[in-house]
Amino acid sequence: MGKEAFKDGLRSGLPISLGYFAVSFSLGILMRNAGLDPLQGLVMSLLNNTSAGEASAVSIIAEGGSTWEIALSQLVINMRYFLMSAALCPHLSPSLSLPRRALIGFDVTDEVFAVLVSAPRPLDERYAYGVATVTIPGWAAGTVLGIVFGNLLPEGIVNALSLALYGMFIAVVIPPAEKDHRILAVVISSMALSLAMAAVPALAGLGSGTKTIVLTLITASLAALIWPVEEEA
Amino acid sequence: MSVYVQILVMALVTYAVRVIPLTIFRRPVKSRFIRSFLYYVPYATLSVMTFPAILQAGEGWLVGLIAFMAAIITALIKGSLPLVALVTCLTAYLSALVF
């Protein structure tokens, strides 16, 4: 092990990093449309590492929403990381110190979680650092370039690129929905309620963050009540 | 400056969610409801955020709707993420030229 574990981490992280670059580039386009500058985008992506969370925060900022709305939206949207970290915890050596655990926790994302839990147990901390070392800059660089190119490219191309992140969200949601009718029901009802809320004048004024929070809580808890998920969700 | 405050607040919330189970609260999530709820959260969130926002983002709802349908069809045929994103953008760009 030793230095090898760090290198292995870099190797596992590289494909993730390339994927992140593409996603955060399109996130950067949305940031640019929301009026954020490259430095703000850089800081946001370096500190947060979360596509849906950041996309939601960007639209709240664009609408002039409150800091409370941002905090609450991050809590709801990113709560799934709680489950991932809880699942990752038994993979760490019990003797691993608190600061090092805190370091590993910084980069728990959907994709990073997947590679960390498939590594041999107990997880070599250096493997996690290797993955983080290559994925965090990929995410941050894509964001900055998205904002910069959003400012340089012609408006028609920027408008088309501004749909890329939605395309990626669709790519995340649709294949599992095709295989699992419970997920399909969640997807369809979430979209339908989201459309309904946009169409009802009394509700249309609600911020996008509030809407995401409320509808996520409603549809995800209804699905959990109707179709509880057994072990290994 | 206030944007940086908002970025800091969101970072603190997100970090807390990630780090608490690794440090302070080191027990598995036992509640089946909570586990199930968190299992469905990403699908609900991404769906709410995508639709109808995709209709309002680019050059009008018709362009958005065409791109939306193209994305779903591509995801059904071949689920790869970059390809779906590419098709979404291309469809939006081309249909914006027409409509």
Side-chain angles (χ1 to χ4, degrees):
Chain A
M1 276 310 211
K3 278 201 176 132
E4 280 309 303
F6 183 78
K7 276 194 208 153
D8 283 347
L10 292 178
R11 220 168 286 135
S12 309
L14 187 64
I16 300 178
S17 182
L18 296 176
Y20 277 1
F21 184 88
V23 178
S24 63
F25 185 90
S26 50
L27 178 67
I29 298 277
L30 295 189
M31 288 181 175
R32 175 263 174 191
N33 292 348
L36 268 67
D37 64 43
L39 183 63
Q40 291 168 334
L42 175 70
V43 175
M44 188 188 283
S45 279
L46 276 180
L47 295 182
N48 288 278
N49 301 301
T50 161
S51 60
E54 289 184 47
S56 172
V58 167
S59 44
I60 298 172
I61 291 173
E63 296 161 357
S66 72
T67 307
W68 280 112
E69 190 179 356
I70 291 185
L72 209 59
S73 71
Q74 301 308 301
L75 185 65
V76 171
I77 295 170
N78 293 332
M79 221 163 11
R80 68 184 188 282
Y81 296 138
F82 193 92
L83 194 62
M84 292 179 195
S85 284
L88 181 63
C89 195
H91 288 251
L92 304 181
S93 155
S95 61
L96 192 66
S97 73
L98 215 59
R100 285 158 187 236
R101 286 167 174 270
L103 206 55
I104 292 171
F106 185 74
D107 194 31
V108 175
T109 67
D110 305 63
E111 295 76 13
V112 169
F113 167 75
V115 296
L116 294 188
V117 290
S118 17
R121 292 169 75 159
L123 177 72
D124 190 320
E125 55 177 312
R126 284 160 297 196
Y127 180 76
Y129 303 150
V131 174
T133 301
V134 66
T135 50
I136 293 175
W139 181 251
T143 311
V144 172
L145 289 182
I147 299 175
V148 171
F149 276 91
N151 285 327
L152 297 177
L153 294 170
E155 203 56 34
I157 293 181
V158 172
N159 275 338
L161 286 177
S162 70
L163 300 188
L165 194 68
Y166 299 115
M168 292 179 188
F169 287 169
I170 291 167
V172 172
V173 155
I174 293 298
E178 191 191 5
K179 292 188 195 81
D180 186 337
H181 72 278
R182 304 169 303 177
I183 296 175
L184 181 65
V186 168
V187 168
I188 291 178
S189 51
S190 299
M191 288 187 178
L193 287 171
S194 180
L195 179 66
M197 265 179 100
V200 175
L203 298 175
L206 277 181
S208 63
T210 308
K211 180 175 145 177
T212 306
I213 295 164
V214 171
L215 292 185
T216 298
L217 291 177
I218 292 175
T219 49
S221 34
L222 277 181
L225 287 174
I226 302 171
W227 301 295
V229 177
E230 300 307 325
E231 280 310 290
E232 264 338 273
Chain B
M1 199 59 220
S2 75
V3 170
Y4 287 103
V5 174
Q6 292 179 309
I7 291 172
L8 194 65
V9 168
M10 67 182 283
L12 288 174
V13 173
T14 304
Y15 184 57
V17 169
R18 284 175 167 142
V19 84
I20 286 172
L22 291 175
T23 52
I24 307 162
F25 181 84
R26 289 203 223 162
R27 272 171 297 169
V29 177
K30 286 239 176 66
S31 154
R32 192 173 67 158
F33 175 77
I34 305 244
R35 295 179 60 94
S36 307
F37 171 75
L38 294 176
Y39 171 74
Y40 291 115
V41 158
Y43 302 107
T45 297
L46 295 180
S47 303
V48 170
M49 288 178 64
T50 299
F51 196 83
I54 191 171
L55 306 184
Q56 298 150 344
E59 310 218 24
W61 68 270
L62 186 56
V63 168
L65 189 64
I66 294 169
F68 177 68
M69 293 192 299
I72 291 181
I73 293 166
T74 314
L76 285 173
I77 297 170
K78 189 176 180 302
S80 106
L81 201 135
L83 182 71
V84 176
L86 186 70
V87 170
T88 311
C89 296
L90 264 181
T91 317
Y93 186 75
L94 294 177
S95 48
L97 296 178
V98 179
F99 299 105

